[in-house]
mmCIF file of all heavy atoms in Angstrom:
data_model
loop_
_atom_site.group_PDB
_atom_site.id
_atom_site.type_symbol
_atom_site.label_atom_id
_atom_site.label_comp_id
_atom_site.label_asym_id
_atom_site.label_seq_id
_atom_site.Cartn_x
_atom_site.Cartn_y
_atom_site.Cartn_z
ATOM 1 N N PRO A 149 131.453 45.132 117.960
ATOM 2 C CA PRO A 149 131.031 43.726 117.878
ATOM 3 C C PRO A 149 129.678 43.524 117.196
ATOM 4 O O PRO A 149 129.278 42.378 116.985
ATOM 5 C CB PRO A 149 130.960 43.296 119.354
ATOM 6 C CG PRO A 149 130.797 44.554 120.135
ATOM 7 C CD PRO A 149 131.450 45.648 119.337
ATOM 8 N N THR A 150 128.998 44.600 116.815
ATOM 9 C CA THR A 150 127.666 44.450 116.214
ATOM 10 C C THR A 150 127.695 43.653 114.919
ATOM 11 O O THR A 150 126.704 43.061 114.531
ATOM 12 C CB THR A 150 127.017 45.821 115.924
ATOM 13 O OG1 THR A 150 128.009 46.670 115.375
ATOM 14 C CG2 THR A 150 126.462 46.438 117.179
ATOM 15 N N THR A 151 128.870 43.639 114.241
ATOM 16 C CA THR A 151 128.947 42.917 112.968
ATOM 17 C C THR A 151 129.550 41.527 113.129
ATOM 18 O O THR A 151 129.732 40.816 112.156
ATOM 19 C CB THR A 151 129.822 43.709 111.971
ATOM 20 O OG1 THR A 151 131.079 43.962 112.596
ATOM 21 C CG2 THR A 151 129.191 45.017 111.582
ATOM 22 N N PHE A 152 129.885 41.122 114.365
ATOM 23 C CA PHE A 152 130.538 39.832 114.585
ATOM 24 C C PHE A 152 129.553 38.675 114.420
ATOM 25 O O PHE A 152 128.344 38.853 114.466
ATOM 26 C CB PHE A 152 131.123 39.765 116.000
ATOM 27 C CG PHE A 152 132.303 40.667 116.235
ATOM 28 C CD1 PHE A 152 132.747 41.563 115.276
ATOM 29 C CD2 PHE A 152 132.984 40.616 117.447
ATOM 30 C CE1 PHE A 152 133.828 42.395 115.509
ATOM 31 C CE2 PHE A 152 134.072 41.452 117.694
ATOM 32 C CZ PHE A 152 134.485 42.343 116.722
ATOM 33 N N SER A 153 130.108 37.477 114.311
ATOM 34 C CA SER A 153 129.275 36.271 114.258
ATOM 35 C C SER A 153 128.651 36.035 115.631
ATOM 36 O O SER A 153 129.082 36.621 116.630
ATOM 37 C CB SER A 153 130.151 35.070 113.898
ATOM 38 O OG SER A 153 130.951 34.706 115.011
ATOM 39 N N GLY A 154 127.651 35.148 115.676
ATOM 40 C CA GLY A 154 126.953 34.869 116.930
ATOM 41 C C GLY A 154 127.891 34.400 118.027
ATOM 42 O O GLY A 154 127.826 34.865 119.163
ATOM 43 N N GLY A 155 128.802 33.491 117.675
ATOM 44 C CA GLY A 155 129.733 32.950 118.661
ATOM 45 C C GLY A 155 130.697 34.015 119.168
ATOM 46 O O GLY A 155 131.017 34.065 120.351
ATOM 47 N N GLU A 156 131.153 34.872 118.258
ATOM 48 C CA GLU A 156 132.070 35.945 118.652
ATOM 49 C C GLU A 156 131.362 36.940 119.574
ATOM 50 O O GLU A 156 131.912 37.369 120.590
ATOM 51 C CB GLU A 156 132.601 36.678 117.413
ATOM 52 C CG GLU A 156 133.687 35.901 116.675
ATOM 53 C CD GLU A 156 133.944 36.436 115.266
ATOM 54 O OE1 GLU A 156 133.134 37.250 114.762
ATOM 55 O OE2 GLU A 156 134.941 36.031 114.673
ATOM 56 N N GLN A 157 130.108 37.273 119.214
ATOM 57 C CA GLN A 157 129.342 38.197 120.061
ATOM 58 C C GLN A 157 129.169 37.617 121.456
ATOM 59 O O GLN A 157 129.281 38.315 122.456
ATOM 60 C CB GLN A 157 127.969 38.473 119.446
ATOM 61 C CG GLN A 157 128.043 39.341 118.214
ATOM 62 C CD GLN A 157 126.702 39.965 117.855
ATOM 63 O OE1 GLN A 157 125.717 39.766 118.548
ATOM 64 N NE2 GLN A 157 126.677 40.713 116.783
ATOM 65 N N GLN A 158 128.897 36.319 121.506
ATOM 66 C CA GLN A 158 128.701 35.706 122.814
ATOM 67 C C GLN A 158 129.991 35.746 123.644
ATOM 68 O O GLN A 158 129.951 36.014 124.844
ATOM 69 C CB GLN A 158 128.233 34.263 122.657
ATOM 70 C CG GLN A 158 127.822 33.695 123.999
ATOM 71 C CD GLN A 158 127.157 32.356 123.878
ATOM 72 O OE1 GLN A 158 127.455 31.582 122.985
ATOM 73 N NE2 GLN A 158 126.246 32.079 124.793
ATOM 74 N N ARG A 159 131.115 35.542 122.985
ATOM 75 C CA ARG A 159 132.378 35.581 123.727
ATOM 76 C C ARG A 159 132.688 36.996 124.204
ATOM 77 O O ARG A 159 133.228 37.186 125.295
ATOM 78 C CB ARG A 159 133.508 35.033 122.859
ATOM 79 C CG ARG A 159 133.522 33.504 122.869
ATOM 80 C CD ARG A 159 134.611 32.947 121.997
ATOM 81 N NE ARG A 159 134.204 32.905 120.607
ATOM 82 C CZ ARG A 159 135.028 33.050 119.577
ATOM 83 N NH1 ARG A 159 136.316 33.264 119.781
ATOM 84 N NH2 ARG A 159 134.577 32.984 118.349
ATOM 85 N N VAL A 160 132.349 38.012 123.382
ATOM 86 C CA VAL A 160 132.529 39.400 123.817
ATOM 87 C C VAL A 160 131.645 39.665 125.042
ATOM 88 O O VAL A 160 132.062 40.280 126.032
ATOM 89 C CB VAL A 160 132.168 40.390 122.682
ATOM 90 C CG1 VAL A 160 132.157 41.828 123.188
ATOM 91 C CG2 VAL A 160 133.154 40.246 121.526
ATOM 92 N N ASN A 161 130.428 39.141 125.002
ATOM 93 C CA ASN A 161 129.497 39.294 126.106
ATOM 94 C C ASN A 161 130.038 38.646 127.385
ATOM 95 O O ASN A 161 129.902 39.195 128.485
ATOM 96 C CB ASN A 161 128.168 38.645 125.721
ATOM 97 C CG ASN A 161 126.983 39.448 126.166
ATOM 98 O OD1 ASN A 161 127.132 40.567 126.667
ATOM 99 N ND2 ASN A 161 125.800 38.898 126.010
ATOM 100 N N ILE A 162 130.663 37.481 127.224
ATOM 101 C CA ILE A 162 131.245 36.777 128.375
ATOM 102 C C ILE A 162 132.432 37.575 128.926
ATOM 103 O O ILE A 162 132.556 37.776 130.131
ATOM 104 C CB ILE A 162 131.661 35.347 127.970
ATOM 105 C CG1 ILE A 162 130.401 34.518 127.709
ATOM 106 C CG2 ILE A 162 132.525 34.706 129.048
ATOM 107 C CD1 ILE A 162 130.651 33.226 126.963
ATOM 108 N N ALA A 163 133.291 38.063 128.023
ATOM 109 C CA ALA A 163 134.448 38.861 128.455
ATOM 110 C C ALA A 163 133.966 40.064 129.268
ATOM 111 O O ALA A 163 134.502 40.379 130.332
ATOM 112 C CB ALA A 163 135.243 39.324 127.233
ATOM 113 N N ARG A 164 132.921 40.717 128.776
ATOM 114 C CA ARG A 164 132.358 41.880 129.451
ATOM 115 C C ARG A 164 131.811 41.492 130.826
ATOM 116 O O ARG A 164 132.016 42.196 131.812
ATOM 117 C CB ARG A 164 131.257 42.431 128.542
ATOM 118 C CG ARG A 164 130.517 43.623 129.033
ATOM 119 C CD ARG A 164 129.429 43.920 127.993
ATOM 120 N NE ARG A 164 128.435 44.825 128.512
ATOM 121 C CZ ARG A 164 128.569 46.140 128.465
ATOM 122 N NH1 ARG A 164 129.648 46.685 127.949
ATOM 123 N NH2 ARG A 164 127.638 46.918 128.960
ATOM 124 N N GLY A 165 131.141 40.345 130.890
ATOM 125 C CA GLY A 165 130.549 39.892 132.143
ATOM 126 C C GLY A 165 131.587 39.509 133.195
ATOM 127 O O GLY A 165 131.323 39.580 134.390
ATOM 128 N N PHE A 166 132.775 39.098 132.715
ATOM 129 C CA PHE A 166 133.818 38.676 133.651
ATOM 130 C C PHE A 166 134.889 39.749 133.863
ATOM 131 O O PHE A 166 135.883 39.517 134.538
ATOM 132 C CB PHE A 166 134.480 37.377 133.169
ATOM 133 C CG PHE A 166 133.661 36.147 133.469
ATOM 134 C CD1 PHE A 166 132.691 35.701 132.573
ATOM 135 C CD2 PHE A 166 133.831 35.459 134.670
ATOM 136 C CE1 PHE A 166 131.923 34.576 132.854
ATOM 137 C CE2 PHE A 166 133.068 34.332 134.954
ATOM 138 C CZ PHE A 166 132.104 33.900 134.051
ATOM 139 N N ALA A 167 134.696 40.933 133.258
ATOM 140 C CA ALA A 167 135.703 41.994 133.376
ATOM 141 C C ALA A 167 135.877 42.414 134.832
ATOM 142 O O ALA A 167 136.991 42.577 135.317
ATOM 143 C CB ALA A 167 135.301 43.197 132.517
ATOM 144 N N HIS A 168 134.778 42.582 135.519
ATOM 145 C CA HIS A 168 134.833 42.944 136.939
ATOM 146 C C HIS A 168 134.543 41.688 137.757
ATOM 147 O O HIS A 168 133.620 40.952 137.426
ATOM 148 C CB HIS A 168 133.789 44.031 137.224
ATOM 149 C CG HIS A 168 133.596 44.305 138.688
ATOM 150 N ND1 HIS A 168 134.620 44.697 139.499
ATOM 151 C CD2 HIS A 168 132.499 44.229 139.471
ATOM 152 C CE1 HIS A 168 134.159 44.851 140.733
ATOM 153 N NE2 HIS A 168 132.878 44.573 140.750
ATOM 154 N N PRO A 169 135.321 41.428 138.825
ATOM 155 C CA PRO A 169 135.057 40.228 139.635
ATOM 156 C C PRO A 169 133.830 40.411 140.532
ATOM 157 O O PRO A 169 133.948 40.632 141.733
ATOM 158 C CB PRO A 169 136.342 40.065 140.463
ATOM 159 C CG PRO A 169 136.965 41.408 140.495
ATOM 160 C CD PRO A 169 136.541 42.136 139.260
ATOM 161 N N TYR A 170 132.651 40.321 139.925
ATOM 162 C CA TYR A 170 131.408 40.498 140.687
ATOM 163 C C TYR A 170 131.281 39.417 141.758
ATOM 164 O O TYR A 170 131.545 38.242 141.479
ATOM 165 C CB TYR A 170 130.187 40.375 139.767
ATOM 166 C CG TYR A 170 130.054 41.441 138.729
ATOM 167 C CD1 TYR A 170 130.388 41.186 137.398
ATOM 168 C CD2 TYR A 170 129.561 42.701 139.057
ATOM 169 C CE1 TYR A 170 130.247 42.159 136.424
ATOM 170 C CE2 TYR A 170 129.424 43.684 138.089
ATOM 171 C CZ TYR A 170 129.768 43.403 136.782
ATOM 172 O OH TYR A 170 129.636 44.367 135.826
ATOM 173 N N PRO A 171 130.823 39.781 142.958
ATOM 174 C CA PRO A 171 130.569 38.769 143.992
ATOM 175 C C PRO A 171 129.375 37.864 143.659
ATOM 176 O O PRO A 171 129.252 36.786 144.213
ATOM 177 C CB PRO A 171 130.262 39.610 145.242
ATOM 178 C CG PRO A 171 130.831 40.960 144.955
ATOM 179 C CD PRO A 171 130.729 41.154 143.477
ATOM 180 N N ALA A 172 128.492 38.320 142.772
ATOM 181 C CA ALA A 172 127.354 37.497 142.352
ATOM 182 C C ALA A 172 127.204 37.615 140.847
ATOM 183 O O ALA A 172 127.341 38.711 140.292
ATOM 184 C CB ALA A 172 126.078 37.948 143.044
ATOM 185 N N LEU A 173 126.931 36.496 140.188
ATOM 186 C CA LEU A 173 126.925 36.515 138.724
ATOM 187 C C LEU A 173 125.814 35.617 138.191
ATOM 188 O O LEU A 173 125.638 34.485 138.652
ATOM 189 C CB LEU A 173 128.298 36.027 138.228
ATOM 190 C CG LEU A 173 128.681 36.245 136.773
ATOM 191 C CD1 LEU A 173 128.558 37.716 136.375
ATOM 192 C CD2 LEU A 173 130.118 35.778 136.545
ATOM 193 N N LEU A 174 125.059 36.138 137.229
ATOM 194 C CA LEU A 174 124.006 35.371 136.573
ATOM 195 C C LEU A 174 124.479 35.010 135.172
ATOM 196 O O LEU A 174 124.973 35.869 134.446
ATOM 197 C CB LEU A 174 122.723 36.210 136.480
ATOM 198 C CG LEU A 174 122.224 36.824 137.792
ATOM 199 C CD1 LEU A 174 121.049 37.764 137.530
ATOM 200 C CD2 LEU A 174 121.818 35.726 138.763
ATOM 201 N N LEU A 175 124.327 33.741 134.793
ATOM 202 C CA LEU A 175 124.806 33.286 133.486
ATOM 203 C C LEU A 175 123.653 32.656 132.714
ATOM 204 O O LEU A 175 123.105 31.641 133.133
ATOM 205 C CB LEU A 175 125.914 32.241 133.671
ATOM 206 C CG LEU A 175 127.123 32.654 134.515
ATOM 207 C CD1 LEU A 175 127.962 31.429 134.884
ATOM 208 C CD2 LEU A 175 127.975 33.653 133.751
#
Side-chain angles (χ1 to χ4, degrees):
Chain A
T150 42
T151 54
F152 291 5
S153 74
E156 283 165 347
Q157 288 198 1
Q158 189 171 31
R159 279 179 278 148
V160 172
N161 220 7
I162 291 165
R164 179 183 165 86
F166 281 88
H168 170 58
Y170 295 103
L173 194 54
L174 307 173
L175 304 166

